[in-house]
Short mmCIF file of all heavy atoms in Angstrom, two decimals:
data_model
loop_
_atom_site.label_atom_id
_atom_site.label_comp_id
_atom_site.label_asym_id
_atom_site.label_seq_id
_atom_site.Cartn_x
_atom_site.Cartn_y
_atom_site.Cartn_z
N VAL A 84 -12.58 11.60 -7.22
CA VAL A 84 -13.36 10.87 -8.22
C VAL A 84 -12.62 10.82 -9.56
O VAL A 84 -12.54 9.78 -10.22
CB VAL A 84 -14.76 11.52 -8.39
CG1 VAL A 84 -15.45 11.00 -9.66
CG2 VAL A 84 -15.63 11.23 -7.18
N LEU A 88 -11.31 7.21 -11.26
CA LEU A 88 -11.90 6.82 -12.55
C LEU A 88 -10.85 6.78 -13.65
O LEU A 88 -10.97 6.01 -14.60
CB LEU A 88 -13.03 7.79 -12.93
CG LEU A 88 -14.30 7.71 -12.08
CD1 LEU A 88 -15.33 8.71 -12.57
CD2 LEU A 88 -14.89 6.30 -12.11
N VAL A 173 -20.24 5.89 -4.99
CA VAL A 173 -20.97 6.07 -6.25
C VAL A 173 -20.04 5.82 -7.44
O VAL A 173 -20.42 5.17 -8.42
CB VAL A 173 -21.56 7.49 -6.33
CG1 VAL A 173 -22.31 7.69 -7.65
CG2 VAL A 173 -22.49 7.75 -5.15
N THR A 177 -20.89 2.73 -10.02
CA THR A 177 -21.36 3.00 -11.38
C THR A 177 -20.25 3.00 -12.42
O THR A 177 -20.43 2.52 -13.54
CB THR A 177 -22.07 4.36 -11.44
OG1 THR A 177 -21.12 5.42 -11.17
CG2 THR A 177 -23.20 4.41 -10.42
N ARG A 178 -19.09 3.57 -12.05
CA ARG A 178 -17.96 3.75 -12.96
C ARG A 178 -18.37 4.57 -14.19
O ARG A 178 -17.79 4.42 -15.27
CB ARG A 178 -17.36 2.41 -13.38
CG ARG A 178 -16.83 1.60 -12.20
CD ARG A 178 -16.13 0.35 -12.65
NE ARG A 178 -15.78 -0.49 -11.50
CZ ARG A 178 -15.21 -1.68 -11.59
NH1 ARG A 178 -14.92 -2.18 -12.78
NH2 ARG A 178 -14.96 -2.38 -10.51
N ILE A 179 -19.36 5.40 -14.02
CA ILE A 179 -19.83 6.29 -15.08
C ILE A 179 -19.43 7.71 -14.71
O ILE A 179 -19.81 8.21 -13.64
CB ILE A 179 -21.35 6.19 -15.26
CG1 ILE A 179 -21.74 4.74 -15.63
CG2 ILE A 179 -21.84 7.15 -16.35
CD1 ILE A 179 -23.24 4.52 -15.69
N VAL A 180 -18.67 8.36 -15.56
CA VAL A 180 -18.07 9.65 -15.23
C VAL A 180 -19.12 10.69 -14.86
O VAL A 180 -19.03 11.33 -13.80
CB VAL A 180 -17.21 10.15 -16.41
CG1 VAL A 180 -16.69 11.55 -16.12
CG2 VAL A 180 -16.05 9.20 -16.67
N HIS A 181 -20.12 10.88 -15.71
CA HIS A 181 -21.09 11.94 -15.48
C HIS A 181 -21.88 11.72 -14.20
O HIS A 181 -22.09 12.65 -13.40
CB HIS A 181 -22.05 12.05 -16.68
CG HIS A 181 -21.36 12.41 -17.95
ND1 HIS A 181 -20.89 11.46 -18.82
CD2 HIS A 181 -21.03 13.61 -18.50
CE1 HIS A 181 -20.32 12.05 -19.86
NE2 HIS A 181 -20.39 13.36 -19.69
N ILE A 182 -22.32 10.50 -13.98
CA ILE A 182 -23.07 10.19 -12.76
C ILE A 182 -22.20 10.41 -11.53
O ILE A 182 -22.65 10.95 -10.51
CB ILE A 182 -23.61 8.75 -12.80
CG1 ILE A 182 -24.68 8.62 -13.89
CG2 ILE A 182 -24.17 8.35 -11.44
CD1 ILE A 182 -25.23 7.21 -14.04
N SER A 183 -20.94 10.00 -11.62
CA SER A 183 -20.03 10.14 -10.48
C SER A 183 -19.80 11.60 -10.12
O SER A 183 -19.81 11.97 -8.94
CB SER A 183 -18.69 9.46 -10.79
OG SER A 183 -18.87 8.09 -11.04
N TYR A 184 -19.63 12.46 -11.13
CA TYR A 184 -19.41 13.87 -10.86
C TYR A 184 -20.67 14.55 -10.33
O TYR A 184 -20.61 15.40 -9.43
CB TYR A 184 -18.93 14.59 -12.12
CG TYR A 184 -17.45 14.47 -12.36
CD1 TYR A 184 -16.95 13.76 -13.45
CD2 TYR A 184 -16.53 15.05 -11.49
CE1 TYR A 184 -15.58 13.64 -13.67
CE2 TYR A 184 -15.17 14.94 -11.71
CZ TYR A 184 -14.70 14.23 -12.79
OH TYR A 184 -13.35 14.11 -12.99
N ILE A 185 -21.81 14.20 -10.89
CA ILE A 185 -23.07 14.78 -10.40
C ILE A 185 -23.31 14.38 -8.95
O ILE A 185 -23.70 15.20 -8.12
CB ILE A 185 -24.25 14.34 -11.30
CG1 ILE A 185 -24.13 14.97 -12.69
CG2 ILE A 185 -25.59 14.73 -10.66
CD1 ILE A 185 -25.14 14.45 -13.69
N ALA A 186 -23.08 13.09 -8.66
CA ALA A 186 -23.24 12.62 -7.29
C ALA A 186 -22.27 13.32 -6.34
O ALA A 186 -22.63 13.71 -5.23
CB ALA A 186 -23.03 11.10 -7.24
N ALA A 187 -21.00 13.48 -6.79
CA ALA A 187 -20.01 14.17 -5.95
C ALA A 187 -20.43 15.61 -5.68
O ALA A 187 -20.26 16.12 -4.57
CB ALA A 187 -18.64 14.13 -6.63
N PHE A 188 -21.00 16.26 -6.70
CA PHE A 188 -21.46 17.64 -6.53
C PHE A 188 -22.59 17.70 -5.51
O PHE A 188 -22.61 18.58 -4.63
CB PHE A 188 -21.94 18.20 -7.87
CG PHE A 188 -22.49 19.59 -7.79
CD1 PHE A 188 -21.65 20.69 -7.78
CD2 PHE A 188 -23.86 19.81 -7.71
CE1 PHE A 188 -22.16 21.98 -7.69
CE2 PHE A 188 -24.37 21.08 -7.64
CZ PHE A 188 -23.52 22.17 -7.63
#
Side-chain angles (χ1 to χ4, degrees):
V84 166
L88 290 180
V173 179
T177 65
R178 299 186 187 177
I179 300 174
V180 175
H181 298 91
I182 292 178
S183 299
Y184 277 113
I185 292 172
F188 178 81

